[in-house]
Amino acid sequence: VIVVLDAASLLSGRLNSIAGMDAYITPDVASELEKGRPGVQLQNLLSAGLKVRSPTCLDEARRLAASTGDLPFLSIPDLSVISLAIEMGGTVITDDFRVQNVLKAAGLPFQPAGEIGDRTIGSVWKWIYRCRGCGRYYDEERRDCPICGSDLRPVRSRG
Ligand SMILES: [Zn+2]
């Protein structure tokens, strides 16, 4: 199984092992890891078989992120993760809702870091949106609740 990991999933401490995975990060994610915890964890992961690979092009990821409205909220490391996943066809390990949203639009599989080991990679989650005010649920992401005007937050439901 090819997996592409983002920095947050590795720094969360919830991903205990990359054993059995063909695991990749991008150079941008490697830099984030070095900033997050001075190199030590990155060295351990590299010794455990984690590989660093650069995506050849970020344009497709940018285009997809623009189409879902997520582009202004994504960092260059985020875009590099999405790009590498597009190029390698791997499953992305990320807890970032914006990244997951773009991957969903691209038809690419993703998995929250906390669920590795609990479930098979590739199980499908559906995102729905719940109003913080009145508690109504919506299938589509909206800026605010059409009934009461409060913010919506994404919640996961089993597809
Ligand atoms: Zn509401």
Side-chain angles (χ1 to χ4, degrees):
V1 183
I2 294 175
V3 296
V4 180
L5 300 132
D6 75 357
S9 70
L10 290 165
L11 290 170
S12 69
R14 290 197 282 158
L15 187 70
N16 296 318
S17 169
I18 57 165
M21 300 179 193
D22 195 7
Y24 292 86
I25 58 171
T26 66
D28 287 316
V29 168
S31 315
E32 283 197 321
L33 288 177
E34 282 172 332
K35 271 184 281 174
R37 219 176 284 174
V40 176
Q41 194 197 14
L42 179 60
Q43 284 313 316
N44 292 343
L45 289 163
L46 294 173
S47 324
L50 184 68
K51 293 174 279 286
V52 181
R53 181 181 286 202
S54 230
T56 54
C57 176
L58 300 187
D59 287 355
E60 178 67 5
R62 279 212 178 84
R63 193 188 61 74
L64 281 162
S67 76
T68 60
D70 293 306
L71 184 57
F73 307 98
L74 294 175
S75 64
I76 293 295
D78 290 337
L79 287 168
S80 75
V81 166
I82 295 166
S83 299
L84 193 61
I86 292 168
E87 290 169 20
M88 301 191 66
T91 297
V92 179
I93 311 301
T94 180
D95 291 321
D96 187 306
F97 167 68
R98 295 280 177 187
V99 172
Q100 293 179 350
N101 202 40
V102 177
L103 293 167
K104 197 169 61 175
L108 288 168
F110 56 84
Q111 190 83 20
E115 291 171 8
I116 297 299
D118 301 341
R119 292 186 186 79
T120 317
I121 285 176
S123 67
V124 178
W125 292 93
K126 183 173 182 273
W127 289 95
I128 56 175
Y129 304 88
R130 186 166 198 208
C131 175
R132 291 177 194 272
C134 67
R136 283 182 172 80
Y137 290 97
Y138 298 94
D139 285 338
E140 302 283 305
E141 186 170 22
R142 297 161 177 270
R143 187 167 298 276
D144 49 33
C145 174
I147 306 299
C148 74
S150 303
D151 289 343
L152 303 184
R153 71 184 170 87
V155 292
R156 238 171 16 207
S157 78
R158 285 174 193 279

